[in-house]
Amino acid sequence: MTVNRPSRPTPRALVLATALAFGGLALTAPAQTMAPMPVASDGTLLSVSASAEARRVPDIATVSAGVVTQAADANSAMRQNAEQMTRVVAAIRAAGIPDRDVQTSGLSLNPQYRYVENQPPVITGYQATNNVNVTVRDIAKLGKILDALVATGANQINGPTFDVDGKDSAYDEARRGALDKARQRADMYAKALGLRVRRIVSIDETGSQVVRPMPMMAMAKMESDQASSPVSPGENVLAANINVVFELGR
């Protein structure tokens, strides 16, 4: 007679059975966390905050241009606005601005009211507004472009806002400057305490930003004898802020 003996469960089966018995089995690996590096018993932690700046002359500008029209009825207001805005957009394209640098930022139609005391408001007409944001990548042409927009029907212009295309290198320059400042301060503290900087425990970048424009005398002008609207791009300041923890010791 043959006796069938139960097979011994494998370790994997035991793990699976145990997991099921206690409410399920996680199918994903736990997230890896990095434990902080231990500090020597004779070490001292020093936290230093530092910031630095990098200056760049802006090479792109963003301006908002639009058309505002009014008429007795809504259809006329929108139609007149569309005709005028079509000429403005054509002037933008004629200036060499690609479609990717032109974006509609607002289109609205609102009734206009006349208010008289103790009487309900009366609609006297309608106002249509259409605005586009235009990015100009050749600031030397900005004044000429603005004049062309006004000449073709734009009656609402805001800006320009100046920026730096490709800010990474400027921010890296500011980061290096901030790190140098932090290390110099750590060396100063260590020397005052009769210690030395052993190592950097951690670096935390607390933020980077573009701050105040710096005025400059440069102005964009038309190539012709007739001067265009003067535009001063100034200088943008890009800042980096870091917090560095050092270990000091003997």
Side-chain angles (χ1 to χ4, degrees):
M1 181 175 64
T2 302
V3 178
N4 294 324
R5 296 180 179 180
S7 59
R8 179 177 298 177
T10 64
R12 177 179 177 82
L14 288 173
V15 172
L16 179 60
T18 302
L20 292 173
F22 283 90
L25 178 65
L27 299 180
T28 58
Q32 298 295 320
T33 58
M34 178 177 288
M37 297 180 64
V39 179
S41 59
D42 63 340
T44 299
L45 292 183
L46 171 67
S47 178
V48 177
S49 296
S51 62
E53 300 174 345
R55 300 171 183 272
R56 295 290 188 275
V57 175
D59 51 9
I60 59 176
T62 301
V63 62
S64 173
V67 171
V68 180
T69 54
Q70 293 182 344
D73 61 274
N75 287 333
S76 298
M78 288 297 291
R79 184 176 63 255
Q80 294 172 17
N81 191 283
E83 294 172 353
Q84 209 164 320
M85 196 64 190
T86 298
R87 294 193 296 270
V88 171
V89 172
I92 293 173
R93 290 174 176 167
I97 306 297
D99 290 342
R100 66 185 177 91
D101 288 335
V102 182
Q103 184 179 52
T104 298
S105 58
L107 179 62
S108 64
L109 175 66
N110 297 295
Q112 303 297 294
Y113 295 94
R114 182 179 68 245
Y115 296 93
V116 179
E117 188 176 358
N118 299 325
Q119 295 184 17
V122 177
I123 296 178
T124 59
Y126 290 84
Q127 177 175 286
T129 304
N130 192 346
N131 288 288
V132 293
N133 288 332
V134 182
T135 300
V136 180
R137 301 184 185 275
D138 187 352
I139 294 182
K141 297 180 179 179
L142 180 57
K144 181 179 181 179
I145 293 173
L146 294 176
D147 291 345
L149 296 181
V150 174
T152 54
N155 53 18
Q156 183 168 282
I157 291 182
N158 294 291
T161 300
F162 295 104
D163 202 356
V164 177
D165 190 17
K167 294 184 281 288
D168 289 346
S169 62
Y171 278 129
D172 287 345
E173 179 183 326
R175 292 180 182 111
R176 287 189 293 269
L179 187 57
D180 289 342
K181 285 184 179 180
R183 181 57 192 256
Q184 291 170 10
R185 291 174 185 170
D187 288 337
M188 182 273 295
Y189 281 114
K191 184 177 180 180
L193 296 171
L195 303 174
R196 64 179 178 84
V197 176
R198 286 178 174 172
R199 64 188 176 96
I200 293 177
V201 178
S202 66
I203 301 177
D204 179 29
E205 184 171 321
T206 58
S208 55
Q209 58 183 339
V210 179
V211 294
R212 61 189 180 278
M214 304 298 292
M216 294 179 64
M217 295 305 295
M219 291 187 178
K221 294 184 177 180
M222 294 176 60
E223 294 180 359
S224 64
D225 294 335
Q226 181 181 1
S228 63
S229 298
V231 177
S232 179
E235 189 175 69
N236 281 6
V237 181
L238 298 90
N241 306 284
I242 63 173
N243 186 68
V244 186
V245 177
F246 298 90
E247 181 184 339
L248 309 183
R250 297 193 182 278

